[in-house]
Amino acid sequence: MKPSKPCTLVGILDDGWGGLSDTARQRLTAADVVIGAGRTLELVRQHLPASAVLQDMDGALGQVPGWIVTAREAGQRVVVLATGDPLCHGIASWLTGRLGPEACEILPTASTLQLAFARFKQPWQDVKIASCHSTDAGDWYVGATPEHGLYKLMRAIALHPRVATFTGPENSPARLARALLTAGYSGQSGDDVRLSVACRLLLPEEQLFPELSLLDAAKMDFPEPNVVLVERSPDPCEAAFGLEDLEYVQRTPEQGLITKQEARALSLAKLRLAPDAIVWDIGAGSGSVGLEAARLAPHGHVWAIEKNAGDAANARANAARFKVGNYTLAEGKAPTHMDAWPDPDAVFIGGSGGELAALIRLILDRLKPRGRLVMNFVTLENLATATHELAAAGATWDVVQLQASRSQPILDMHRMAAQNPVWIVSAHKEMK
C-alpha cells in the first residue's frame, strides 16, 4: 500500500482549539493518529474522533519518525502537534530532515515570540532569534566553551543588540541574567542590558515583566513557560583588531609581554581567520592576539594557554574588559591541556617555553587541512628551529621580517624610534 497523504504538523498555542485555523481543525478531526507532547494533546483531546490514536512523544522524540512512517504505510492520516510555528526553533526542520519535505504538510500558528512582541508593543523585524531550551549545563562561567548550554545564546547577545530567546526550565530568565552579569554586563537599572519576560502567554495567569535590570531579573522566579527579549545598548564603534598596546592590561613597565600592534596586525592577517574559526593561542601573554582573533572570528572560539600566572591574570582581565566571551584561557605550560582542545583552523605561537620544536610537530599533526600556523620570533635561534621543523615536516612556509618605527616627541619636534625586529613565520598544511 502506498503511504497516505503527508502527515500534517499543526502549530498550537495555549489557547488550544480556539486559536486554530479551520484547516488545522479539519486535519485534526479527520486524523487517525495524533502525536504530540502530553500538554498539547490535552488541548485538543475532547475535539478528536473517538477512534483516533493519541501518542505522547514526551521522552520519545526519537521514535516519532518511525511512528509516522508506520501509520502512513497503513494508510492512516497523521497529525503532529507542535508549539507555535514549527519552523521557528521547532520540530519541523528536524522531522522533514528525517522524512523528507514531501512527507510533511506544515500549518503554523503565531510563534510565542510574535505574541510576546505584540504584548510589549515592539517591532521585531530586526531581532536575532535564539534558544537556550537545551540541556542543563549549569550556570555560566568565564571561559565557558561551545558545549555549554548557554553558549550560542551568549554569542548571539554579544553580536546583536536585540535578541529574542526561547527559554527552558533549567536555563531560565534568572540564569540568563546571572550569566550576563558574569560576562561583565552592568546590572543596574537603566544600564546596558535589559530583559523583558513574557510568561504563560494566552493563559489566564499570563504575566509580563518589561525592561528588568539584570540584578532584578537574577533574583526572580518566573512562571513557565516564558520567552525573553534581551536588549543591549550598542557598544561604541570599536575596531575588531589593531587596538593600541596601552589599551591592554599588561606587565609593568610598558615593555611587558605583549605582541606589539604592528606585529599583531600582520600576524592576524596571516592567520586568515574565518568567522567560525577554531583558534589556538600559545604563549598568550596579555592576550592581545587571542582576544583580537576572537573578535575576528565571532562565531568561532579561541583556546589560549599562558604559563605565567601574572600574564594569565592580565589576559583574563583584558577578556573581561572587552567582553570577549568566545575565549578560554588555560594556565600552564604548553602542551599541557592542549590534548583536550578541538583541532584548530589557525594557531598563533607567541611563546613556546622552550618546547618550540615539539609544539610545531604537534600543531602540524592537529591542524586542519589548509589550516594556518603563525609564529613570532625575536631570536635567530628560534627562527632557525622553526624553519628547520617546518621544512622537515614538508609544510609550506614563508618569513616576513617586520621592523617598525614609531614617532616620539623631541623638544618641539618628533623623531622615529625603532622597535626590535620581529620575524613572522607563516605556514599552512596542504590538502592531502
Side-chain angles (χ1 to χ4, degrees):
M1 181 182 296
K2 292 184 178 180
S4 64
K5 293 181 179 180
C7 72
T8 302
L9 274 70
V10 171
I12 189 169
L13 292 173
D14 283 324
D15 54 352
W17 193 260
L20 296 175
S21 67
D22 288 342
T23 303
R25 292 176 185 176
Q26 290 169 12
R27 297 291 188 273
L28 282 163
T29 55
D32 300 303
V33 178
V34 179
I35 302 169
R39 186 172 64 87
T40 56
L41 290 173
E42 290 305 315
L43 293 172
V44 300
R45 185 184 295 272
Q46 63 178 317
H47 302 282
L48 301 177
S51 60
V53 175
L54 276 60
Q55 292 186 277
D56 190 336
M57 66 182 182
D58 286 331
L61 183 61
Q63 301 179 51
V64 171
W67 293 346
I68 294 171
V69 169
T70 298
R72 293 184 68 225
E73 287 178 346
Q76 295 177 309
R77 291 161 293 193
V78 185
V79 173
V80 179
L81 295 173
T83 300
D85 183 347
L87 286 165
C88 183
H89 288 273
I91 193 177
S93 58
W94 177 81
L95 205 54
T96 56
R98 281 151 181 80
L99 300 176
E102 69 284 350
C104 300
E105 174 191 31
I106 301 174
L107 300 178
T109 191
S111 166
T112 50
L113 293 182
Q114 289 176 275
L115 288 175
F117 278 94
R119 297 292 192 269
F120 292 127
K121 300 179 176 62
Q122 292 198 39
W124 70 304
Q125 66 271 6
D126 62 339
V127 165
K128 172 67 176 178
I129 299 174
S131 177
C132 58
H133 194 280
S134 57
T135 304
D136 180 11
D139 277 6
W140 183 255
Y141 57 91
V142 173
T145 61
E147 290 71 35
H148 195 284
L150 293 177
Y151 187 88
K152 289 183 179 180
L153 174 56
M154 293 294 284
R155 294 308 304 146
I157 293 169
L159 297 172
H160 303 276
R162 300 180 78 223
V163 176
T165 182
F166 299 93
T167 60
E170 293 85 13
N171 296 327
S172 64
R175 173 175 281 181
L176 174 57
R178 293 195 300 270
L180 291 167
L181 290 169
T182 299
Y185 294 97
S186 174
Q188 301 296 326
S189 178
D191 280 340
D192 56 354
V193 179
R194 302 164 302 285
L195 300 188
S196 296
V197 186
C199 305
R200 298 188 66 77
L201 290 166
L202 298 177
L203 291 170
E205 61 273 26
E206 177 180 303
Q207 286 184 272
L208 302 176
F209 300 89
E211 296 195 342
L212 298 172
S213 71
L214 294 181
L215 286 176
D216 288 341
K219 296 179 289 188
M220 295 174 64
D221 290 323
F222 296 91
E224 296 176 4
N226 54 63
V227 293
V228 178
L229 166 63
V230 184
E231 295 178 284
R232 176 177 58 78
S233 300
D235 292 329
C237 183
E238 196 170 69
F241 81 109
L243 299 181
E244 299 291 341
D245 297 344
L246 292 179
E247 292 184 67
Y248 287 96
V249 179
Q250 55 186 287
R251 285 191 208 175
T252 55
E254 184 264 327
Q255 61 270 25
L257 194 59
I258 187 170
T259 301
K260 297 294 192 289
Q261 183 189 52
E262 296 83 357
R264 190 188 327 137
L266 181 55
S267 296
L268 288 164
K270 292 286 188 178
L271 286 170
R272 297 180 64 173
L273 300 175
D276 61 351
I278 299 299
V279 183
W280 293 1
D281 179 16
I282 300 172
S286 302
S288 61
V289 173
L291 293 171
E292 293 188 23
R295 296 169 73 167
L296 289 169
H299 303 293
H301 196 88
V302 173
W303 275 262
I305 188 166
E306 172 55 49
K307 67 177 183 177
N308 181 279
D311 289 322
N314 287 339
R316 292 190 187 97
N318 287 319
R321 182 180 184 185
F322 297 115
K323 295 187 178 69
V324 178
N326 55 331
Y327 180 83
T328 301
L329 176 68
E331 193 171 322
K333 182 178 178 180
T336 306
H337 304 296
M338 292 168 53
D339 59 342
W341 295 356
D343 290 348
D345 299 291
V347 180
F348 176 77
I349 297 180
S352 61
E355 304 292 337
L356 180 59
L359 284 172
I360 290 173
R361 291 193 294 271
L362 183 154
I363 289 164
L364 292 177
D365 183 57
R366 296 281 305 277
L367 199 63
K368 292 180 183 177
R370 294 180 179 167
R372 310 280 295 188
L373 168 61
V374 174
M375 299 171 278
N376 283 187
F377 302 116
V378 295
T379 69
L380 289 166
E381 290 77 10
N382 278 341
L383 175 63
T385 298
T387 54
H388 176 269
E389 291 297 330
L390 292 171
T396 301
W397 57 273
D398 65 76
V399 180
V400 173
Q401 179 180 292
L402 178 67
Q403 184 164 11
S405 297
R406 294 181 178 180
S407 63
Q408 286 188 352
I410 177 170
L411 300 176
D412 60 341
M413 296 176 285
H414 290 79
R415 69 179 182 88
M416 299 304 294
Q419 299 181 51
N420 289 330
V422 179
W423 287 288
I424 298 174
V425 180
S426 305
H428 66 274
K429 286 181 72 170
E430 299 288 353
M431 291 288 290
K432 292 182 179 181

